[in-house]
């Protein structure tokens, strides 16, 4: 990992060259680099924590002047129990994941002796801009190396000393491995970002992690594809048939388990006939826990007449703007879905509201009616559409990806939590025996276009050839006979 | 298909609304719309050809003033034998393809009663800018409907009358189907493009088909993701071990079967020891067929001393610029790969040249040495890397996709020929029973993250459950025993 005084062009060009070496390293070499980084960071714990304490002192001073928030200080602190060890463990967890590179997911016989193969490969060079959390540098470095991508990293400036210490250790560790040092570059100054965003000949993908404003300004400033999300305006649609306990528990988790998260709940849509039943319990719980409810007229009227007075006085009026706002705090917008001719018609109102006001991140429905749930899941155009569970489940670790580089609301490439797979693309490999295009077509040879079985370590359940497939068919026939007799 | 006088904002908003209806239509309804379009176009053939003849007259007049090329006139002409029927047949072929929407390709048990499913869905609204070829409008309309995407189309202005006639027919045909008319919008004026490119709230993906300049100007003018390719600088690396017949045949096809195509050959890399053997035959053939060879010093010297004089005098000197140029005409740049300590070292020189000078579109190697071919396929960072076949094979129809909207050199989403699959993304559906995020993690419940078998019509070779898998394992054990004994 270089921490150079190179110009942005030099840094990006060096990353591009290094990416070619990294891309063809075998899995074992990439994994060995992760082991080396892990061991080196473990050995250098004291040095790194010393650097971290400098960042902490600076941050505490800035906070006392009101320039920094307490939550940022908390995120900076690598000395909190278990945090350093979690960082180390994360590197090993990424190492243990399946290699995302070199996977074959399609093979087609185009003609005799002409076989088309689709094989996963790294994207190339990533530019990742992230928040002031010291451990993230190790996390992202692991993901980049595992997926065979070079990466240029720029973290929040409040972590500078920690970043410098960690990157020095990683750099030294990489020196003992086959991964080129230039494959990971740490940029310390914000000035470097704008010129880097112009270098689409060297950089393939930008991944900004951070607020709305950061993401928007990056999108404006580059022709390089940007993967990520600006807003996280998540909604839940609550129907009257949902059990009170489940509704309270799920909505509480979605709003309160981490209100500043992108997958936290911002708008609650409530069926009119749920206002004085299940919603009442939800509202009571949320108000008691300090959530401000911004209600439309129908929900406010229903709550005012049923809630205890000391809670009812806390209710606020919603404006149109509230339904387009990602609060990231203890505020929740409430919208009533009027009683409709059919439950499906009511669901369609909720779906339309979400598609027009939401950010296509993650939305959920709470209902015991499966057909309504399926309608909702089909109609809502978001990366995640959940049924009877919390929007906070949208997370790479929870989805079983091991870890994530972020959550994408893009409509192309990777959508939702982005793990190793989202950091790959594929190449089309075509093996021939001298066939040429002009031989085929009108009056010429015909294409066969026959799908061939794929040999892939991830598809252990797959029959490998026609013989095995015949065995399976025979088994299925027998089983069907047994079941039918 | 509307051909409205709507403003760009109105058109894009209408397309967005229509896209939501289209996205949830069943396969049968989308296929029925394709049938209706096919039948209506067949019935309206005379009207459409009349409109086409207006375009032709205008074009012929413009050509006589030197404002249009003969090849453009050829592309405009819908009356050429078989062309109209091919257009109709194309619609039926797209209809017969597998439905790309609603495919489940992953299922994970996150915990008991908490199942994550990944399901394919349309991208939303496409903006497709294409050349003046009247039949392309039907082709793209079919792909859009089949993949559940709304599309705004802008074709080359020379086809305006044909486009208007075809879109009027499509519009009337859609009126009898469940596909909303606004799902396909035809824009006739170039002025509309710039404002449309600003509407990232309505348009999800821009697909420009056309020259380098068009693609670059569109990328500069929008924050919407752009799918396509600017350059198509394809190379072939020729080794001395390749049979003369194969080398001549493949290189001839790559350079001459359609020199203006993006997958045509532009640079030929030749091993030094092939210069006076296999390359000599290739050069002779290309020169005889009118190809200008722009040679480096080594290849020119070798050819000059071995070719007949009347051919040798035709050789030209290559400049550095020639190796970065997409000629799209009968010019080929020749570069010698110097003899190296090992064949792999020579291949690495070719790989490096291609990665630095090429456009990551399609490149090929001609050799009988498999290990060198594999090294080349792993090292070259292009959408297609071919062995012993022509770069011209890079094509959706040849790859078995039925048809394509274009070829992508993007490093994310779809790479290479883009068929229906490239017009889809996925949603993550999570079905729970009230589970919340705060229950899991340190001290709480553990994730199961167990891969579940996927029921998918495309995976007929897959064993469906553990019982079937046991049958397969037993079969494999027995087979192994038989083979070993």
């Amino acid at each position: 990992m270089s921490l150079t005084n190179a110009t942005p062009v030099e840094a990006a060009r060096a990353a591009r060259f290094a990416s070619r070496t990294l891309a063809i390293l075998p899995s074992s070499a990439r994994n060995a680099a992760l082991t080396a980084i892990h061991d080196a960071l473990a050995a250098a714990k004291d040095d790194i924590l010393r650097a971290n304490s400098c960042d902490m002192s600076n941050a505490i001073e800035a906070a006392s002047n009101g320039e920094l928030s307490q939550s940022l200080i908390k995120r900076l602190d690598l000395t909190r129990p278990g945090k350093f060890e979690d960082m180390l463990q994360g590197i090993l967890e990424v190492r243990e994941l399946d290699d995302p590179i070199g996977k074959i997911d399609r093979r087609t016989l185009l003609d005799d002796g002409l076989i088309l193969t689709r094989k996963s490969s790294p994207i190339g060079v990533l530019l990742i801009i992230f928040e002031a959390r010291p451990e993230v540098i190790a996390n992202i470095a692991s993901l980049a190396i595992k997926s065979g991508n070079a990466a240029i990293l720029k973290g929040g400036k409040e972590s500078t000393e920690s970043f410098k210490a960690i990157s020095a250790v990683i750099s030294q560790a990489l020196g003992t491995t086959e991964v080129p040092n230039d494959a990971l570059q740490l940029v310390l100054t914000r000035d470097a970002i704008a010129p880097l965003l112009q270098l689409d000949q060297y950089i393939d993908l930008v991944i900004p992690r951070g607020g709305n404003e950061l993401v928007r300004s990056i999108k404006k400033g580059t022709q390089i594809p940007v993967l990520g999300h600006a807003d996280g305006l998540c909604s839940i649609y609550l129907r009257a048939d949902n059990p009170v306990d489940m509704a309270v528990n799920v909505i509480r988790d979605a709003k309160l388990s981490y209100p500043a998260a992108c997958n936290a709940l911002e708008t609650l849509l409530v069926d009119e006939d749920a206002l004085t039943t299940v919603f009442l319990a939800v509202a009571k719980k949320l108000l008691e826990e300090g959530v401000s409810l911004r209600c439309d007229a129908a929900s406010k009227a229903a709550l005012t007449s049923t809630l205890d007075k000391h809670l009812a006085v806390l209710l606020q009026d919603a404006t149109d703007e509230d339904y387009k706002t990602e609060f990231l705090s203890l505020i929740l917008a409430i919208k009533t879905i009027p009683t409709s001719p059919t439950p499906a018609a009511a669901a369609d109102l909720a779906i339309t509201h979400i598609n027009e006001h939401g950010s296509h991140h993650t939305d959920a429905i709470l209902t015991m009616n499966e057909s309504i749930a399926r309608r909702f899941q089909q109609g809502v155009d978001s990366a995640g559409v959940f049924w009877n569970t919390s929007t906070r489940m949208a997370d790479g670790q929870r989805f079983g990806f091991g870890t994530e580089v972020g959550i994408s609301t893009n409509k192309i490439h990777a959508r939702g939590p982005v793990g190793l797979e989202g950091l790959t693309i594929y190449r089309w490999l075509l093996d021939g025996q001298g066939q040429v295009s002009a031989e085929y077509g009108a009056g010429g040879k015909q294409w066969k276009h026959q799908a061939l079985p794929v040999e892939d370590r991830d598809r252990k359940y797959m029959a490998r050839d026609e013989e095995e497939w015949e065995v399976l068919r025979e088994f299925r026939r027998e089983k069907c006979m047994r079941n039918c007799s």
Side-chain angles (χ1 to χ4, degrees), chain A:
Chain A
M1 168 166 265
S2 3
L3 175 64
T4 61
N5 295 318
T7 65
V9 174
E10 287 164 355
R13 188 189 290 145
R16 164 64 71 193
F17 282 120
S19 77
R20 301 216 176 100
T21 306
L22 179 56
I24 57 176
L25 284 183
S27 186
S28 56
R30 284 176 275 128
N31 287 342
L34 295 186
T35 306
I37 290 174
H38 169 271
D39 296 351
L41 288 174
K45 181 175 176 178
D46 292 348
D47 291 344
I48 293 168
L49 293 187
R50 228 179 342 261
N52 183 241
S53 71
C54 292
D55 286 332
M56 287 294 290
S57 324
N58 294 338
I60 290 165
E61 197 182 314
S64 70
N65 301 334
E67 293 161 18
L68 276 186
S69 70
Q70 288 300 323
S71 66
L72 195 141
I73 291 177
K74 202 170 143 194
R75 284 203 296 271
L76 266 184
D77 188 359
L78 259 185
T79 65
R80 285 164 61 207
K83 201 158 174 190
F84 198 89
E85 287 63 36
D86 283 352
M87 175 180 86
L88 294 178
Q89 184 58 29
I91 299 169
L92 299 184
E93 281 172 10
V94 170
R95 186 189 66 185
E96 296 312 310
L97 293 172
D98 260 359
D99 186 3
I101 299 306
K103 281 188 182 179
I104 291 171
D105 70 349
R106 188 180 301 188
R107 286 176 73 229
T108 311
L109 186 78
L110 300 191
D111 189 11
D112 293 328
L114 188 63
I115 294 180
L116 181 68
T117 300
R118 194 166 86 163
K119 200 172 190 176
S120 67
S121 44
I123 289 174
V125 178
L126 317 174
L127 170 62
I128 304 177
I129 299 159
F130 56 103
E131 60 275 51
R133 284 169 57 190
E135 74 279 16
V136 167
I137 192 174
N139 189 4
I140 292 178
S142 315
L143 283 168
I145 291 174
K146 181 82 185 185
S147 61
N149 288 293
I152 301 173
L153 311 180
K154 167 71 178 78
K157 66 178 188 304
E158 297 80 4
S159 297
T160 297
E161 295 305 319
S162 312
F163 286 148
K164 279 159 73 174
I166 293 173
S167 81
V169 172
I170 293 180
S171 179
Q172 203 165 10
L174 287 184
T176 66
T177 75
E178 291 180 69
V179 172
N181 208 28
D182 286 342
L184 294 174
Q185 311 241 356
L186 182 68
V187 167
L188 285 179
T189 60
R190 181 172 290 203
D191 300 350
I193 298 296
L196 285 170
L197 290 174
Q198 302 314 309
L199 299 172
D200 58 347
Q201 69 272 45
Y202 298 127
I203 297 172
D204 298 296
L205 186 63
V206 182
I207 306 180
R209 292 168 47 130
N212 200 320
E213 212 175 316
L214 171 75
V215 177
R216 282 183 204 279
S217 82
I218 284 175
K219 279 196 175 180
K220 263 190 206 156
T222 190
Q223 292 182 48
I224 306 171
V226 177
L227 189 71
H229 64 273
D231 299 295
L233 203 166
C234 302
S235 301
I236 288 182
Y237 171 39
L238 173 65
R239 280 173 39 90
D241 62 11
N242 202 246
V244 170
D245 285 356
M246 188 194 288
V248 169
N249 204 25
V250 168
I251 293 168
R252 206 194 149 278
D253 184 83
K255 184 69 225 175
L256 285 160
S257 65
Y258 190 176
C262 63
N263 54 13
L265 178 66
E266 306 292 5
T267 295
L268 181 65
L269 306 164
V270 186
D271 265 350
E272 193 176 348
D273 62 354
L275 286 176
T276 53
T277 58
V278 55
F279 175 60
L280 182 63
V282 170
K284 188 164 176 288
K285 183 73 179 175
L286 292 174
L287 288 167
E288 284 170 357
E289 301 215 20
V291 178
S292 298
L293 301 185
R294 300 207 176 156
C295 300
D296 59 359
S299 59
K300 192 174 180 193
L303 288 181
T304 303
S305 64
T306 46
L307 272 175
D308 289 347
K309 275 227 179 72
H310 74 283
L311 292 175
V313 296
L314 300 173
L315 298 173
Q316 303 175 350
D317 292 314
T319 64
D320 282 352
E321 202 51 33
D322 287 326
Y323 300 114
K324 301 175 195 160
T325 302
E326 185 185 12
F327 299 110
L328 295 173
S329 63
L330 295 189
I331 303 172
L332 180 65
I334 310 290
K335 170 98 185 165
T336 305
I337 301 296
T339 301
S340 304
T342 63
D348 288 348
L349 293 177
I351 291 167
T352 301
H353 177 94
I354 291 172
N355 284 337
E356 285 178 18
H357 296 80
S359 63
H360 312 287
H361 187 296
T362 304
D363 302 285
I365 183 170
L366 297 178
T367 182
M368 300 312 281
N369 182 325
E370 176 164 1
S371 83
I372 294 294
R374 295 290 172 237
R375 188 179 189 93
F376 183 85
Q377 286 187 317
Q378 180 152 24
V380 171
D381 180 24
S382 295
V385 196
F386 297 176
W387 176 27
N388 285 350
T389 187
S390 166
T391 53
R392 294 267 300 122
M393 292 292 192
D395 172 276
Q397 196 271 327
R398 290 168 189 158
F399 275 18
F401 301 173
T403 181
E404 64 176 37
V405 284
I407 292 186
S408 162
T409 54
N410 289 28
K411 300 287 282 289
I412 62 165
H413 197 65
R415 200 177 191 195
V418 181
L420 288 172
E421 188 184 334
L423 298 181
T424 69
I425 182 68
Y426 49 76
R427 275 168 304 150
W428 295 97
L429 308 181
L430 181 59
D431 294 354
Q433 297 169 348
Q435 294 91 336
V436 298
S437 66
E439 296 175 75
Y440 298 85
K445 288 165 81 176
Q446 295 304 302
W447 297 103
K448 299 204 167 190
H449 291 155
Q450 178 192 335
L452 297 177
V454 175
E455 273 288 352
D456 193 299
R457 59 191 173 284
D458 281 348
R459 296 206 181 165
K460 65 164 194 174
Y461 277 96
M462 187 169 283
R464 278 200 288 246
D465 53 29
E466 190 50 35
E467 201 182 0
E468 290 194 355
W469 177 229
E470 181 50 43
V471 169
L472 263 192
R473 268 197 297 251
E474 182 57 30
F475 171 73
R476 287 179 190 172
R477 265 195 298 273
E478 278 177 24
K479 191 173 170 185
C480 175
M481 299 281 279
R482 279 200 308 274
N483 291 344
C484 300
S485 64

